[in-house]
Amino acid sequence: MNAAGSGPRDVSRAIDALRRGWPIAIHAAGEDPLVLLAVETADPRSLDTFAPAGRYPVLISSGRAATLKLTNQLAAADPDLPVVVEPAPWLDFDTAVALADPALDLATPLKGPFRTEEVDRPRASLAAIRLARIAGLLPAFFIDGIDPEVVIAPEAIDRHQDARTLRMATRARLPVEGAEDAEIVAFRAPDSADEHVALLIGRPDERPPLVRLHSECLTGDVLGSLKCDCGPQLRAAIAAIRAHGWGILLYLRQEGRGIGLVNKLRAYRLQDQGFDTVDANTRLGFAVDARDFGVAARMLDLLGQRQVRLLTNNPAKVASLEAAGVAVAERVPHALPANPHNERYLATKRDRTGHQL
Ligand SMILES: Nc1nc2c(ncn2[C@@H]2O[C@H](COP(=O)(O)OP(=O)(O)OP(=O)(O)O)[C@@H](O)[C@H]2O)c(=O)[nH]1
Ligand SMILES: [Zn+2]
């Protein structure tokens, strides 16, 4: 096996490989390499090439394992660690897909029984689950197959996600509805495809800016989805900043609270089956909120702002921005009227994720 790649570019290669259905390995210091093939992008042929002897344990996230009631054999295990499902004659490709993808949980009972074991390469396993999220894939892998070309270290993923590499790319005037004097500033990091933008509204004065951190929501922002409150919040933020006199709207490319568009739509499909927004994320195997507001702090820093008034109902956003070095002088509530389609979503945010609505 090649030496573990250490540059962030290797992470881009690893993400690309996983999305194409090619194996990669994660090699943490002091552990054996963990060879991975993403279940979502594998097919029976690539699995056969990956594991010619037909032995392929499956690595799934802790949340997914708990959903499938596969954690009870692991009494002493760390509840946050991913879980390995041991090979079994009935663990064929389709069954592995059913382990990975909750879409059919209610329709087809899972074959079994399955034996699970604690991961013996905890750092690489955690990094694998993280990488799946960054790649927008389901967090489940066939493991221990043939040596792949791309090998990365967990630290390379940290560096890949490091907000300090973000730079201003360009800026221009952008008159928008509700703020005709706005200016847009685009930010880019060398190793990430995410292009974040800031909308600067009004003329700075001695007061801290009114700031909104808006996480991308294609369905709400662009298509007018009524399932969430994003679209109205986006427009109301521009109006509130204008009314305050000046401020900044950060449009962060953190679709689906950081799990990506496809995984968010998978969560919506689970919500169609009756699960709420919190349980849907857990069933998929993700954290309830996978966002990192370090990017927002870095953007504010590059714009010369270290103290803000923050438009949000989410105290976790305030805490995470402060942890990243931006002082929040005041939290300004940003609640909008509910509609029949987002009533339950807003109630879940209030009751389960601490939103002050
Ligand atoms: N995973 C997932 N993401 C969702 C769902 N509904 C909306 N989102 C995403 O949640 C994000 C919107 O959250 P925000 O409005 O920025 O933040 P918040 O945590 O609700 O806090 P506020 O600042 O009070 O609005 C966007 O990235 C949406 O795509 C859902 O059901 N599941
Ligand atoms: Zn939304």
Side-chain angles (χ1 to χ4, degrees), residues 220-247:
D221 301 341
V222 180
L223 302 178
S225 162
L226 298 172
K227 261 184 86 69
C228 59
D229 53 349
C230 302
Q233 276 188 323
L234 180 58
R235 284 173 283 283
I238 293 171
I241 294 170
R242 183 74 273 183
H244 170 73
W246 83 286

Short mmCIF file of all heavy atoms in Angstrom, two decimals, residues 220-247:
data_model
loop_
_atom_site.label_atom_id
_atom_site.label_comp_id
_atom_site.label_asym_id
_atom_site.label_seq_id
_atom_site.Cartn_x
_atom_site.Cartn_y
_atom_site.Cartn_z
N GLY A 220 -35.68 25.52 -0.34
CA GLY A 220 -36.36 26.68 0.25
C GLY A 220 -35.98 28.00 -0.41
O GLY A 220 -36.83 28.83 -0.71
N ASP A 221 -34.68 28.18 -0.66
CA ASP A 221 -34.20 29.46 -1.18
C ASP A 221 -34.62 29.68 -2.63
O ASP A 221 -34.93 30.79 -3.04
CB ASP A 221 -32.66 29.53 -1.14
CG ASP A 221 -32.11 29.35 0.28
OD1 ASP A 221 -32.87 29.55 1.24
OD2 ASP A 221 -30.91 29.02 0.41
N VAL A 222 -34.57 28.61 -3.42
CA VAL A 222 -34.77 28.76 -4.87
C VAL A 222 -36.15 28.27 -5.31
O VAL A 222 -36.82 28.92 -6.10
CB VAL A 222 -33.68 27.97 -5.64
CG1 VAL A 222 -33.87 28.12 -7.14
CG2 VAL A 222 -32.30 28.43 -5.22
N LEU A 223 -36.57 27.11 -4.77
CA LEU A 223 -37.81 26.51 -5.28
C LEU A 223 -39.04 26.93 -4.48
O LEU A 223 -40.15 26.54 -4.81
CB LEU A 223 -37.67 24.98 -5.28
CG LEU A 223 -36.50 24.43 -6.10
CD1 LEU A 223 -36.42 22.91 -5.99
CD2 LEU A 223 -36.63 24.84 -7.57
N GLY A 224 -38.84 27.69 -3.41
CA GLY A 224 -39.99 28.15 -2.62
C GLY A 224 -40.62 27.06 -1.78
O GLY A 224 -41.81 27.09 -1.48
N SER A 225 -39.81 26.08 -1.36
CA SER A 225 -40.35 25.00 -0.51
C SER A 225 -41.01 25.58 0.73
O SER A 225 -40.48 26.50 1.37
CB SER A 225 -39.20 24.07 -0.10
OG SER A 225 -39.59 23.30 1.02
N LEU A 226 -42.14 24.97 1.09
CA LEU A 226 -42.85 25.39 2.31
C LEU A 226 -42.53 24.47 3.48
O LEU A 226 -43.06 24.63 4.57
CB LEU A 226 -44.36 25.38 2.04
CG LEU A 226 -44.83 26.35 0.95
CD1 LEU A 226 -46.32 26.13 0.64
CD2 LEU A 226 -44.58 27.80 1.38
N LYS A 227 -41.65 23.48 3.26
CA LYS A 227 -41.31 22.52 4.32
C LYS A 227 -40.43 23.12 5.40
O LYS A 227 -40.29 22.56 6.47
CB LYS A 227 -40.55 21.34 3.70
CG LYS A 227 -41.39 20.12 3.44
CD LYS A 227 -40.53 18.97 2.92
CE LYS A 227 -39.91 18.15 4.03
NZ LYS A 227 -40.86 17.36 4.81
N CYS A 228 -39.72 24.21 5.05
CA CYS A 228 -38.82 24.83 6.02
C CYS A 228 -39.10 26.32 6.04
O CYS A 228 -40.03 26.79 5.40
CB CYS A 228 -37.37 24.54 5.64
SG CYS A 228 -36.95 25.16 4.00
N ASP A 229 -38.28 27.07 6.77
CA ASP A 229 -38.49 28.52 6.86
C ASP A 229 -37.37 29.30 6.18
O ASP A 229 -37.24 30.51 6.35
CB ASP A 229 -38.62 28.94 8.33
CG ASP A 229 -37.46 28.44 9.20
OD1 ASP A 229 -36.67 27.61 8.73
OD2 ASP A 229 -37.34 28.89 10.37
N CYS A 230 -36.54 28.61 5.37
CA CYS A 230 -35.33 29.24 4.83
C CYS A 230 -35.60 30.40 3.88
O CYS A 230 -34.96 31.46 3.99
CB CYS A 230 -34.48 28.19 4.12
SG CYS A 230 -34.02 26.84 5.22
N GLY A 231 -36.51 30.20 2.93
CA GLY A 231 -36.78 31.25 1.94
C GLY A 231 -37.23 32.54 2.62
O GLY A 231 -36.60 33.59 2.44
N PRO A 232 -38.30 32.48 3.44
CA PRO A 232 -38.73 33.69 4.13
C PRO A 232 -37.63 34.27 5.03
O PRO A 232 -37.46 35.48 5.11
CB PRO A 232 -39.93 33.22 4.97
CG PRO A 232 -40.45 32.01 4.24
CD PRO A 232 -39.26 31.37 3.59
N GLN A 233 -36.86 33.40 5.69
CA GLN A 233 -35.78 33.90 6.56
C GLN A 233 -34.72 34.65 5.75
O GLN A 233 -34.18 35.65 6.20
CB GLN A 233 -35.10 32.74 7.30
CG GLN A 233 -35.83 32.32 8.58
CD GLN A 233 -35.01 31.31 9.37
OE1 GLN A 233 -34.36 30.45 8.79
NE2 GLN A 233 -35.07 31.39 10.69
N LEU A 234 -34.45 34.16 4.56
CA LEU A 234 -33.44 34.80 3.71
C LEU A 234 -33.87 36.21 3.34
O LEU A 234 -33.12 37.18 3.52
CB LEU A 234 -33.26 33.94 2.44
CG LEU A 234 -32.25 34.40 1.39
CD1 LEU A 234 -30.86 34.52 1.99
CD2 LEU A 234 -32.22 33.40 0.23
N ARG A 235 -35.11 36.33 2.88
CA ARG A 235 -35.59 37.65 2.47
C ARG A 235 -35.77 38.57 3.67
O ARG A 235 -35.41 39.75 3.62
CB ARG A 235 -36.88 37.51 1.66
CG ARG A 235 -36.57 37.03 0.22
CD ARG A 235 -37.79 36.71 -0.58
NE ARG A 235 -38.37 35.42 -0.22
CZ ARG A 235 -37.84 34.25 -0.63
NH1 ARG A 235 -36.76 34.22 -1.38
NH2 ARG A 235 -38.38 33.11 -0.26
N ALA A 236 -36.27 38.02 4.79
CA ALA A 236 -36.47 38.84 5.98
C ALA A 236 -35.12 39.31 6.54
O ALA A 236 -35.03 40.39 7.14
CB ALA A 236 -37.25 38.07 7.04
N ALA A 237 -34.07 38.52 6.36
CA ALA A 237 -32.75 38.92 6.87
C ALA A 237 -32.26 40.16 6.12
O ALA A 237 -31.74 41.10 6.72
CB ALA A 237 -31.76 37.77 6.71
N ILE A 238 -32.45 40.15 4.80
CA ILE A 238 -32.02 41.31 4.00
C ILE A 238 -32.79 42.55 4.46
O ILE A 238 -32.21 43.62 4.67
CB ILE A 238 -32.22 41.04 2.49
CG1 ILE A 238 -31.25 39.92 2.06
CG2 ILE A 238 -32.02 42.30 1.67
CD1 ILE A 238 -31.48 39.39 0.65
N ALA A 239 -34.10 42.39 4.66
CA ALA A 239 -34.92 43.53 5.10
C ALA A 239 -34.49 44.01 6.49
O ALA A 239 -34.39 45.22 6.74
CB ALA A 239 -36.39 43.13 5.11
N ALA A 240 -34.20 43.07 7.39
CA ALA A 240 -33.82 43.46 8.75
C ALA A 240 -32.48 44.19 8.76
O ALA A 240 -32.29 45.17 9.49
CB ALA A 240 -33.75 42.22 9.65
N ILE A 241 -31.55 43.72 7.93
CA ILE A 241 -30.23 44.37 7.88
C ILE A 241 -30.37 45.78 7.31
O ILE A 241 -29.81 46.75 7.83
CB ILE A 241 -29.24 43.52 7.04
CG1 ILE A 241 -28.97 42.18 7.74
CG2 ILE A 241 -27.94 44.28 6.81
CD1 ILE A 241 -28.20 41.16 6.92
N ARG A 242 -31.17 45.89 6.27
CA ARG A 242 -31.44 47.20 5.66
C ARG A 242 -32.05 48.15 6.71
O ARG A 242 -31.62 49.29 6.86
CB ARG A 242 -32.41 46.96 4.50
CG ARG A 242 -32.84 48.09 3.64
CD ARG A 242 -31.80 48.56 2.70
NE ARG A 242 -30.97 49.55 3.39
CZ ARG A 242 -30.00 50.23 2.85
NH1 ARG A 242 -29.67 50.00 1.61
NH2 ARG A 242 -29.34 51.12 3.52
N ALA A 243 -33.01 47.64 7.47
CA ALA A 243 -33.68 48.48 8.47
C ALA A 243 -32.72 48.87 9.59
O ALA A 243 -32.81 49.97 10.13
CB ALA A 243 -34.89 47.73 9.04
N HIS A 244 -31.80 47.99 9.92
CA HIS A 244 -30.81 48.28 10.97
C HIS A 244 -29.84 49.35 10.50
O HIS A 244 -29.24 50.07 11.30
CB HIS A 244 -30.07 46.99 11.32
CG HIS A 244 -28.87 47.15 12.20
ND1 HIS A 244 -28.97 47.43 13.54
CD2 HIS A 244 -27.54 47.08 11.93
CE1 HIS A 244 -27.75 47.51 14.06
NE2 HIS A 244 -26.86 47.30 13.10
N GLY A 245 -29.63 49.43 9.20
CA GLY A 245 -28.69 50.42 8.66
C GLY A 245 -27.56 49.76 7.91
O GLY A 245 -27.23 50.13 6.80
N TRP A 246 -26.96 48.76 8.53
CA TRP A 246 -25.91 48.05 7.78
C TRP A 246 -25.68 46.67 8.36
O TRP A 246 -26.00 46.42 9.54
CB TRP A 246 -24.61 48.86 7.77
CG TRP A 246 -23.73 48.73 8.97
CD1 TRP A 246 -23.93 49.26 10.20
CD2 TRP A 246 -22.48 48.03 9.03
NE1 TRP A 246 -22.88 48.96 11.03
CE2 TRP A 246 -21.97 48.21 10.33
CE3 TRP A 246 -21.73 47.29 8.10
CZ2 TRP A 246 -20.76 47.65 10.75
CZ3 TRP A 246 -20.53 46.74 8.51
CH2 TRP A 246 -20.06 46.94 9.82
N GLY A 247 -25.12 45.81 7.53
CA GLY A 247 -24.84 44.47 8.02
C GLY A 247 -24.43 43.55 6.89
O GLY A 247 -24.20 43.98 5.75
#
